[in-house]
Amino acid sequence: AYRNRYHLVVASDAGSLLYAGDEHVRMWPGELWWFNNKALHWARNESERWRIHVIFDVLPNKIGLPWDAFTGGPRSVLG
């Protein structure tokens, strides 16, 4: 089953780089991001300090809210 994957960035000194498909974003503390977890993806930490993310999956919305329509690269959910 397809699940929507989210990253809530808790700590990241240099911002965390997330690559998904042919796109990439730099994620900063306090941001919440969605990305297509079926695409080839990886992350990179450019800091000597730990990056801390809360990563969670949510089942697709059954009532048709916009979260069901996400495709492609990473998207900021907040802001």
Side-chain angles (χ1 to χ4, degrees), residues 22-73:
D22 61 354
E23 299 184 65
H24 69 279
V25 295
R26 188 173 298 270
M27 301 181 293
W28 295 97
E31 294 180 340
L32 176 66
W33 287 85
W34 170 91
F35 78 97
N36 180 357
N37 62 320
K38 293 215 178 235
L40 178 63
H41 60 276
W42 66 95
R44 187 170 78 200
N45 182 9
E46 295 183 332
S47 173
E48 296 293 320
R49 300 187 68 178
W50 287 25
R51 68 180 179 95
I52 302 170
H53 291 207
V54 175
I55 301 169
F56 57 96
D57 291 348
V58 177
L59 290 174
N61 189 330
K62 301 289 186 209
I63 60 172
L65 292 175
W67 311 118
D68 289 342
F70 284 163
T71 59

